[in-house]
Amino acid sequence: GIQVEQSPPDLILQEGANSTLRCNFSDSVNNLQWFHQNPWGQLINLFYIPSGTKQNGRLSATTVATERYSLLYISSSQTTDSGVYFCAVSGNTGKLIFGQGTTLQVKP
Amino acid sequence: DAGITQSPRHKVTETGTPVTLRCHQTENHRYMYWYRQDPGHGLRLIHYSYGVKDTDKGEVSDGYSVSRSKTEDFLLTLESATSSQTSVYFCAISDGGYSYEQYFGPGTRLTVT
């Protein structure tokens, strides 16, 4: 099945800093989603982005399907951005496979 | 936000007892999924449904069964709960198969003592 690797595993930022999270996957995909799991455990949809670039406020994402990676950019980070960020992908015959996540802590 | 609710939100039960978790959606989506989340394993698919009375296994289906008698409800049953089934359980929905965006419910924290 498809392998999903996220980096870095942990990230600590000062409020206001920018960051880039990476998701590498091992095969072609027809679904790629980024989620934020907040400290209360809720999974929040950030982007549905099997290819291309999208932006939503301070967050943006880019997926380069031919090179099998996706990037999540967080600009001007806030303490409410803290939590775990998951990348999840599915291929033609597979189910949605989650990466291990990047744990982000934003300090005031 | 997608209209997905899960009940109960928290449950503590004893080993060997049956447990049923409920997922309810108001979006009329065809596909529904049950995942479990454990430290070190991320989220893993237990079972999914692609229509009323149509279900299939995921990667960690042993010890679990599911039923879907209505579009809006998807039940997950642990016939005889074990301590290894202590986990956080998430329901998800999508309007189509795996290439479609999935939306997740708030989760149920289950502890088996």
Coordinates of all heavy atoms in Angstrom, one line a residue, chain A residues 2-81:
Chain A
I2 N 0.2 2.4 -0.1 CA 0.9 3.7 -0.1 C 1.5 4.0 1.2 O 0.9 3.8 2.3 CB -0.1 4.8 -0.5 CG1 -0.6 4.6 -2.0 CG2 0.6 6.2 -0.4 CD1 -1.6 5.7 -2.4
Q3 N 2.7 4.5 1.2 CA 3.4 4.9 2.4 C 3.3 6.4 2.5 O 3.5 7.1 1.5 CB 4.9 4.5 2.4 CG 5.0 3.0 2.3 CD 4.4 2.2 3.4 OE1 4.6 2.5 4.6 NE2 3.6 1.2 3.1
V4 N 3.1 7.0 3.7 CA 3.0 8.4 3.9 C 4.0 8.8 5.0 O 3.9 8.3 6.1 CB 1.6 8.8 4.3 CG1 1.5 10.4 4.4 CG2 0.5 8.3 3.3
E5 N 4.8 9.8 4.7 CA 5.8 10.3 5.7 C 5.6 11.8 5.8 O 5.7 12.5 4.8 CB 7.2 9.9 5.2 CG 7.5 8.4 5.3 CD 9.0 8.2 4.9 OE1 9.7 9.1 4.7 OE2 9.4 7.0 4.9
Q6 N 5.5 12.2 7.1 CA 5.4 13.6 7.3 C 6.6 14.1 8.1 O 7.2 13.4 8.9 CB 4.2 13.9 8.2 CG 2.9 13.6 7.5 CD 1.7 14.1 8.3 OE1 0.8 13.3 8.6 NE2 1.6 15.4 8.6
S7 N 7.0 15.3 7.8 CA 8.2 15.9 8.5 C 7.9 17.4 8.7 O 7.2 18.0 7.9 CB 9.5 15.7 7.7 OG 9.3 16.3 6.4
P8 N 8.5 18.0 9.7 CA 9.2 17.3 10.8 C 8.1 16.7 11.7 O 7.0 17.0 11.7 CB 9.9 18.4 11.6 CG 9.0 19.6 11.4 CD 8.4 19.5 10.0
P9 N 8.5 15.7 12.6 CA 7.6 15.1 13.6 C 7.1 16.1 14.6 O 6.0 16.0 15.1 CB 8.4 14.0 14.2 CG 9.8 14.2 13.9 CD 9.8 15.1 12.6
D10 N 8.0 17.0 15.0 CA 7.7 18.0 16.0 C 8.2 19.4 15.6 O 9.3 19.5 15.0 CB 8.3 17.7 17.4 CG 7.8 16.3 17.9 OD1 6.6 16.3 18.4 OD2 8.5 15.3 17.7
L11 N 7.5 20.4 16.0 CA 7.9 21.8 15.6 C 7.4 22.8 16.7 O 6.3 22.7 17.1 CB 7.2 22.1 14.3 CG 7.6 23.4 13.6 CD1 9.1 23.5 13.3 CD2 6.8 23.6 12.3
I12 N 8.4 23.6 17.1 CA 8.0 24.6 18.1 C 8.3 26.0 17.5 O 9.4 26.2 17.0 CB 8.9 24.4 19.4 CG1 8.6 23.1 20.0 CG2 8.5 25.5 20.4 CD1 9.4 22.7 21.2
L13 N 7.3 26.9 17.6 CA 7.5 28.2 17.0 C 7.1 29.3 18.0 O 6.3 29.0 18.9 CB 6.5 28.3 15.8 CG 6.7 27.4 14.6 CD1 5.6 27.6 13.6 CD2 8.0 27.6 13.9
Q14 N 7.6 30.4 17.8 CA 7.1 31.6 18.4 C 6.0 32.2 17.6 O 6.0 32.1 16.4 CB 8.2 32.7 18.6 CG 9.3 32.4 19.6 CD 8.8 32.3 21.0 OE1 9.1 31.3 21.7 NE2 8.0 33.3 21.4
E15 N 5.0 32.7 18.4 CA 3.9 33.4 17.7 C 4.4 34.4 16.7 O 5.3 35.1 16.9 CB 3.0 34.1 18.8 CG 1.6 34.3 18.3 CD 0.7 34.7 19.5 OE1 1.3 35.3 20.5 OE2 -0.5 34.5 19.4
G16 N 3.8 34.3 15.5 CA 4.2 35.2 14.4 C 5.1 34.6 13.4 O 5.3 35.2 12.3
A17 N 5.7 33.5 13.7 CA 6.7 32.9 12.8 C 5.9 32.1 11.7 O 4.7 31.8 11.8 CB 7.6 31.9 13.6
N18 N 6.6 31.8 10.6 CA 6.1 31.0 9.5 C 6.7 29.6 9.6 O 7.7 29.4 10.2 CB 6.5 31.7 8.2 CG 6.0 33.1 8.0 OD1 4.9 33.5 8.6 ND2 6.8 33.9 7.3
S19 N 5.9 28.7 9.0 CA 6.4 27.3 9.0 C 6.0 26.6 7.7 O 5.0 26.9 7.1 CB 6.0 26.5 10.2 OG 4.6 26.5 10.3
T20 N 6.7 25.5 7.4 CA 6.3 24.6 6.3 C 6.4 23.2 6.8 O 7.4 22.7 7.3 CB 7.3 24.8 5.1 OG1 7.3 26.1 4.7 CG2 6.9 23.9 4.0
L21 N 5.3 22.5 6.5 CA 5.1 21.1 6.9 C 5.1 20.3 5.6 O 4.5 20.7 4.6 CB 3.9 20.8 7.7 CG 3.8 21.2 9.1 CD1 4.1 22.6 9.4 CD2 2.5 20.8 9.7
R22 N 5.8 19.1 5.6 CA 5.9 18.3 4.4 C 5.3 17.0 4.5 O 5.3 16.4 5.6 CB 7.4 18.2 4.0 CG 7.6 17.5 2.6 CD 9.1 17.4 2.3 NE 9.3 16.8 1.0 CZ 9.6 17.5 -0.1 NH1 9.7 18.8 -0.1 NH2 9.7 16.8 -1.3
C23 N 4.7 16.5 3.4 CA 4.1 15.2 3.3 C 4.6 14.5 2.0 O 4.4 15.0 0.9 CB 2.6 15.3 3.3 SG 1.7 13.8 3.0
N24 N 5.3 13.4 2.2 CA 5.8 12.6 1.1 C 5.0 11.3 1.0 O 4.6 10.7 2.0 CB 7.3 12.2 1.2 CG 8.2 13.4 1.2 OD1 7.9 14.4 0.5 ND2 9.3 13.3 1.8
F25 N 4.6 10.9 -0.2 CA 3.9 9.7 -0.4 C 4.5 8.9 -1.5 O 5.2 9.4 -2.4 CB 2.4 10.0 -0.7 CG 2.1 11.1 -1.7 CD1 1.9 10.8 -3.0 CD2 2.1 12.4 -1.2 CE1 1.7 11.9 -3.9 CE2 1.8 13.4 -2.1 CZ 1.6 13.2 -3.5
S26 N 4.3 7.6 -1.5 CA 5.1 6.6 -2.3 C 4.5 6.2 -3.6 O 5.1 5.5 -4.4 CB 5.3 5.3 -1.5 OG 4.1 4.7 -1.1
D27 N 3.2 6.7 -3.9 CA 2.6 6.2 -5.1 C 1.6 7.3 -5.6 O 1.4 8.3 -4.8 CB 1.9 4.9 -4.9 CG 1.7 4.1 -6.2 OD1 1.9 4.7 -7.3 OD2 1.4 2.9 -6.1
S28 N 1.1 7.2 -6.8 CA 0.2 8.2 -7.3 C -1.1 8.2 -6.4 O -1.5 7.1 -5.9 CB -0.2 7.9 -8.7 OG -0.7 6.6 -8.9
V29 N -1.7 9.4 -6.3 CA -2.9 9.5 -5.4 C -4.0 10.2 -6.1 O -3.8 10.9 -7.0 CB -2.5 10.3 -4.1 CG1 -1.4 9.5 -3.3 CG2 -2.1 11.7 -4.4
N30 N -5.2 9.9 -5.6 CA -6.4 10.6 -6.2 C -7.1 11.4 -5.1 O -8.2 12.0 -5.3 CB -7.4 9.6 -6.9 CG -7.8 8.4 -6.0 OD1 -7.7 8.5 -4.8 ND2 -8.1 7.3 -6.6
N31 N -6.6 11.3 -3.9 CA -7.1 12.1 -2.8 C -5.9 12.5 -1.9 O -5.1 11.6 -1.5 CB -8.1 11.3 -2.0 CG -8.7 12.1 -0.8 OD1 -8.4 13.2 -0.5 ND2 -9.7 11.5 -0.1
L32 N -5.8 13.7 -1.5 CA -4.8 14.1 -0.5 C -5.5 15.2 0.4 O -6.0 16.2 -0.2 CB -3.6 14.7 -1.1 CG -2.4 14.9 -0.1 CD1 -1.1 14.7 -0.8 CD2 -2.5 16.3 0.5
Q33 N -5.6 15.0 1.6 CA -6.2 15.9 2.6 C -5.2 16.3 3.7 O -4.4 15.5 4.1 CB -7.5 15.3 3.2 CG -8.6 15.1 2.2 CD -9.9 14.6 2.9 OE1 -10.4 13.5 2.6 NE2 -10.4 15.4 3.8
W34 N -5.3 17.5 4.1 CA -4.6 18.0 5.3 C -5.6 18.3 6.4 O -6.7 18.9 6.1 CB -3.8 19.3 5.0 CG -2.5 19.1 4.3 CD1 -2.3 19.3 2.9 CD2 -1.3 18.8 4.8 NE1 -1.0 19.1 2.6 CE2 -0.3 18.8 3.8 CE3 -0.8 18.5 6.1 CZ2 1.0 18.5 4.0 CZ3 0.5 18.2 6.3 CH2 1.4 18.2 5.2
F35 N -5.3 17.8 7.6 CA -6.2 18.0 8.7 C -5.4 18.6 9.9 O -4.2 18.4 10.0 CB -6.7 16.7 9.3 CG -7.6 15.9 8.3 CD1 -7.0 14.9 7.5 CD2 -9.0 16.0 8.3 CE1 -7.8 14.2 6.6 CE2 -9.7 15.3 7.4 CZ -9.2 14.4 6.6
H36 N -6.1 19.4 10.7 CA -5.6 19.9 12.0 C -6.4 19.2 13.1 O -7.6 19.3 13.1 CB -5.7 21.4 12.0 CG -5.3 22.0 13.3 ND1 -5.9 23.1 13.9 CD2 -4.3 21.6 14.2 CE1 -5.4 23.4 15.1 NE2 -4.4 22.5 15.3
Q37 N -5.7 18.5 14.0 CA -6.3 18.0 15.2 C -6.0 18.9 16.3 O -4.8 19.0 16.7 CB -5.8 16.6 15.5 CG -6.6 15.9 16.6 CD -6.5 14.4 16.7 OE1 -5.4 13.9 16.5 NE2 -7.5 13.7 17.0
N38 N -7.0 19.6 16.8 CA -6.8 20.6 17.9 C -6.6 19.9 19.2 O -6.7 18.7 19.3 CB -7.9 21.6 17.9 CG -9.2 21.0 18.3 OD1 -9.3 19.9 18.9 ND2 -10.3 21.7 17.9
P39 N -6.2 20.6 20.2 CA -5.9 20.0 21.5 C -7.1 19.3 22.2 O -6.9 18.5 23.1 CB -5.4 21.2 22.4 CG -4.8 22.2 21.4 CD -5.7 22.0 20.2
W40 N -8.3 19.6 21.7 CA -9.5 18.9 22.2 C -9.8 17.6 21.4 O -10.8 16.9 21.6 CB -10.7 19.8 22.1 CG -10.5 21.0 23.1 CD1 -10.8 21.1 24.4 CD2 -9.8 22.2 22.7 NE1 -10.5 22.3 24.9 CE2 -9.8 23.0 23.9 CE3 -9.2 22.7 21.6 CZ2 -9.3 24.3 24.0 CZ3 -8.7 24.0 21.6 CH2 -8.7 24.7 22.8
G41 N -8.9 17.3 20.4 CA -9.1 16.0 19.7 C -9.9 16.1 18.4 O -10.0 15.2 17.7
Q42 N -10.5 17.3 18.1 CA -11.3 17.4 16.9 C -10.4 17.5 15.6 O -9.4 18.2 15.6 CB -12.1 18.7 17.0 CG -13.1 18.9 15.9 CD -13.9 20.2 16.1 OE1 -13.6 21.0 16.9 NE2 -14.9 20.4 15.2
L43 N -10.9 16.7 14.6 CA -10.2 16.7 13.3 C -10.8 17.7 12.4 O -12.0 17.6 12.0 CB -10.2 15.4 12.7 CG -9.2 14.4 13.2 CD1 -9.6 12.9 12.8 CD2 -7.8 14.7 12.6
I44 N -10.1 18.7 12.0 CA -10.6 19.8 11.2 C -10.0 19.7 9.8 O -8.8 19.7 9.6 CB -10.3 21.2 11.8 CG1 -10.9 21.2 13.3 CG2 -10.8 22.3 11.0 CD1 -10.3 22.3 14.1
N45 N -10.9 19.8 8.8 CA -10.4 19.7 7.4 C -9.8 21.1 7.1 O -10.4 22.1 7.2 CB -11.6 19.5 6.5 CG -12.1 18.1 6.5 OD1 -12.3 17.5 7.6 ND2 -12.4 17.5 5.4
L46 N -8.5 21.0 6.6 CA -7.9 22.2 6.1 C -7.9 22.3 4.6 O -8.4 23.3 4.1 CB -6.4 22.2 6.6 CG -6.2 22.2 8.1 CD1 -4.7 22.1 8.4 CD2 -6.8 23.4 8.7
F47 N -7.5 21.3 3.9 CA -7.5 21.3 2.4 C -7.7 19.9 1.9 O -7.3 18.9 2.5 CB -6.1 21.8 1.9 CG -5.7 23.2 2.2 CD1 -4.9 23.5 3.3 CD2 -6.3 24.2 1.5 CE1 -4.5 24.8 3.6 CE2 -6.0 25.5 1.8 CZ -5.1 25.8 2.9
Y48 N -8.5 19.9 0.8 CA -8.6 18.7 -0.1 C -7.8 19.1 -1.3 O -8.2 20.0 -2.1 CB -10.0 18.4 -0.4 CG -10.2 17.4 -1.5 CD1 -10.0 16.1 -1.3 CD2 -10.6 17.8 -2.8 CE1 -10.2 15.1 -2.3 CE2 -10.8 16.9 -3.8 CZ -10.6 15.5 -3.5 OH -10.7 14.6 -4.5
I49 N -6.6 18.5 -1.5 CA -5.7 19.0 -2.5 C -4.9 17.9 -3.2 O -3.6 17.8 -2.9 CB -4.8 20.1 -1.9 CG1 -3.9 20.8 -3.0 CG2 -4.0 19.6 -0.7 CD1 -3.3 22.1 -2.5
P50 N -5.5 17.0 -4.0 CA -4.7 16.0 -4.7 C -3.7 16.5 -5.7 O -2.8 15.8 -6.1 CB -5.8 15.1 -5.4 CG -7.0 16.0 -5.4 CD -6.9 16.9 -4.3
S51 N -3.9 17.8 -6.1 CA -2.9 18.4 -7.0 C -3.1 20.0 -6.9 O -4.2 20.4 -6.5 CB -3.0 18.0 -8.4 OG -4.2 18.3 -8.9
G52 N -2.1 20.7 -7.3 CA -2.3 22.2 -7.3 C -2.0 22.9 -6.0 O -1.4 22.4 -5.1
T53 N -2.5 24.1 -6.0 CA -2.2 25.0 -4.9 C -3.6 25.6 -4.4 O -4.4 26.0 -5.3 CB -1.3 26.1 -5.3 OG1 0.0 25.6 -5.6 CG2 -1.1 27.1 -4.1
K54 N -3.7 25.7 -3.1 CA -4.9 26.4 -2.5 C -4.5 27.3 -1.4 O -3.4 27.0 -0.7 CB -5.9 25.3 -2.0 CG -6.6 24.6 -3.1 CD -7.7 23.7 -2.6 CE -8.4 22.9 -3.7 NZ -9.5 22.0 -3.1
Q55 N -5.3 28.3 -1.1 CA -5.0 29.1 0.0 C -6.3 29.4 0.8 O -7.4 29.5 0.2 CB -4.4 30.5 -0.4 CG -4.0 31.4 0.7 CD -3.0 32.5 0.3 OE1 -2.6 32.6 -0.8 NE2 -2.6 33.2 1.3
N56 N -6.1 29.5 2.1 CA -7.3 29.8 3.0 C -6.7 30.6 4.1 O -6.2 30.1 5.1 CB -8.0 28.5 3.5 CG -9.2 28.9 4.3 OD1 -9.6 30.0 4.4 ND2 -9.8 27.8 4.8
G57 N -6.8 31.9 4.0 CA -6.3 32.8 5.0 C -4.8 32.7 5.2 O -4.1 32.9 4.2
R58 N -4.4 32.4 6.4 CA -3.0 32.3 6.7 C -2.4 31.0 6.2 O -1.2 30.7 6.3 CB -2.7 32.5 8.2 CG -3.0 33.9 8.7 CD -2.7 34.0 10.2 NE -3.5 33.1 11.0 CZ -3.1 31.9 11.5 NH1 -1.8 31.5 11.3 NH2 -3.9 31.2 12.2
L59 N -3.2 30.1 5.8 CA -2.8 28.7 5.4 C -2.8 28.6 3.9 O -3.8 29.1 3.3 CB -3.7 27.7 6.1 CG -3.3 27.2 7.5 CD1 -3.3 28.3 8.5 CD2 -4.2 26.0 7.9
S60 N -1.8 27.9 3.4 CA -1.9 27.5 2.0 C -1.2 26.1 1.9 O -0.5 25.7 2.7 CB -1.1 28.5 1.1 OG 0.2 28.6 1.5
A61 N -1.6 25.5 0.7 CA -1.0 24.1 0.5 C -0.7 24.0 -1.0 O -1.4 24.5 -1.8 CB -2.0 23.0 1.0
T62 N 0.3 23.2 -1.2 CA 0.7 22.8 -2.6 C 1.0 21.4 -2.7 O 1.7 20.8 -1.8 CB 1.9 23.6 -3.0 OG1 1.7 25.0 -3.0 CG2 2.4 23.2 -4.4
T63 N 0.4 20.7 -3.7 CA 0.7 19.3 -4.0 C 1.3 19.2 -5.3 O 0.7 19.6 -6.3 CB -0.6 18.4 -3.9 OG1 -1.1 18.5 -2.5 CG2 -0.2 17.0 -4.2
V64 N 2.5 18.6 -5.4 CA 3.1 18.3 -6.7 C 3.0 16.8 -6.9 O 3.9 16.0 -6.4 CB 4.6 18.7 -6.7 CG1 5.2 18.5 -8.1 CG2 4.7 20.2 -6.3
A65 N 2.0 16.4 -7.5 CA 1.6 14.9 -7.6 C 2.7 14.2 -8.4 O 3.0 13.0 -8.0 CB 0.3 14.8 -8.3
T66 N 3.3 14.8 -9.4 CA 4.3 14.1 -10.2 C 5.6 13.7 -9.4 O 6.3 12.8 -9.6 CB 4.7 14.9 -11.4 OG1 5.1 16.2 -11.0 CG2 3.5 15.0 -12.4
E67 N 5.8 14.6 -8.3 CA 7.0 14.4 -7.5 C 6.6 13.8 -6.1 O 7.4 13.6 -5.3 CB 7.8 15.7 -7.3 CG 8.3 16.2 -8.7 CD 9.3 17.4 -8.5 OE1 9.8 17.6 -7.4 OE2 9.4 18.1 -9.5
R68 N 5.3 13.5 -5.9 CA 4.8 12.8 -4.8 C 5.1 13.5 -3.4 O 5.6 12.9 -2.5 CB 5.3 11.4 -4.8 CG 4.8 10.6 -6.0 CD 5.3 9.2 -6.1 NE 4.8 8.6 -7.3 CZ 5.3 7.4 -7.8 NH1 6.2 6.7 -7.1 NH2 4.8 6.9 -8.9
Y69 N 4.8 14.8 -3.4 CA 4.8 15.4 -2.1 C 3.8 16.6 -2.0 O 3.3 17.0 -3.1 CB 6.3 16.0 -1.8 CG 6.7 17.2 -2.6 CD1 6.4 18.5 -2.2 CD2 7.3 17.0 -3.9 CE1 6.7 19.6 -3.0 CE2 7.7 18.1 -4.6 CZ 7.4 19.4 -4.2 OH 7.8 20.5 -4.9
S70 N 3.5 17.0 -0.8 CA 2.6 18.1 -0.6 C 3.2 18.9 0.6 O 3.9 18.4 1.5 CB 1.2 17.6 -0.2 OG 0.4 18.7 0.0
L71 N 3.0 20.2 0.5 CA 3.5 21.1 1.5 C 2.3 21.9 2.1 O 1.5 22.4 1.3 CB 4.5 22.1 0.9 CG 5.8 21.5 0.3 CD1 6.6 22.5 -0.4 CD2 6.6 20.7 1.3
L72 N 2.4 22.1 3.4 CA 1.4 23.0 4.1 C 2.2 24.1 4.7 O 3.1 23.9 5.4 CB 0.7 22.2 5.2 CG -0.3 23.0 6.0 CD1 -1.5 23.4 5.2 CD2 -0.8 22.2 7.2
Y73 N 1.8 25.4 4.3 CA 2.4 26.6 4.8 C 1.5 27.2 5.8 O 0.3 27.4 5.6 CB 2.7 27.6 3.7 CG 3.4 27.0 2.5 CD1 2.8 26.6 1.4 CD2 4.8 27.1 2.5 CE1 3.5 26.1 0.3 CE2 5.5 26.6 1.4 CZ 4.9 26.1 0.3 OH 5.6 25.7 -0.8
I74 N 2.1 27.6 6.9 CA 1.4 28.4 8.0 C 2.1 29.7 8.1 O 3.3 29.7 8.5 CB 1.3 27.6 9.3 CG1 0.7 26.2 9.1 CG2 0.5 28.4 10.3 CD1 0.7 25.4 10.4
S75 N 1.5 30.8 7.9 CA 2.1 32.1 8.0 C 1.6 32.8 9.3 O 0.5 32.5 9.7 CB 1.9 32.9 6.8 OG 0.5 33.2 6.7
S76 N 2.4 33.6 9.9 CA 2.1 34.4 11.0 C 1.4 33.5 12.1 O 0.2 33.8 12.5 CB 1.2 35.6 10.6 OG 1.8 36.4 9.7
S77 N 2.0 32.5 12.5 CA 1.4 31.5 13.4 C 0.8 32.1 14.7 O 1.3 33.1 15.2 CB 2.4 30.4 13.7 OG 3.5 30.9 14.4
Q78 N -0.3 31.5 15.1 CA -0.9 31.9 16.4 C -1.0 30.7 17.3 O -0.9 29.6 16.9 CB -2.3 32.4 16.0 CG -2.4 33.6 15.1 CD -3.8 34.0 14.6 OE1 -4.7 33.4 15.0 NE2 -3.8 35.1 13.9
T79 N -1.2 31.0 18.6 CA -1.3 29.9 19.6 C -2.4 28.9 19.2 O -2.3 27.7 19.5 CB -1.4 30.5 21.0 OG1 -2.6 31.3 21.0 CG2 -0.2 31.3 21.4
T80 N -3.4 29.4 18.6 CA -4.6 28.5 18.2 C -4.2 27.6 17.1 O -4.9 26.7 16.8 CB -5.8 29.3 17.8 OG1 -5.4 30.3 16.8 CG2 -6.4 30.1 19.0
D81 N -3.0 27.8 16.5 CA -2.6 26.9 15.4 C -2.0 25.6 16.1 O -1.7 24.6 15.3 CB -1.5 27.5 14.5 CG -2.1 28.7 13.7 OD1 -3.3 28.6 13.4 OD2 -1.3 29.6 13.4

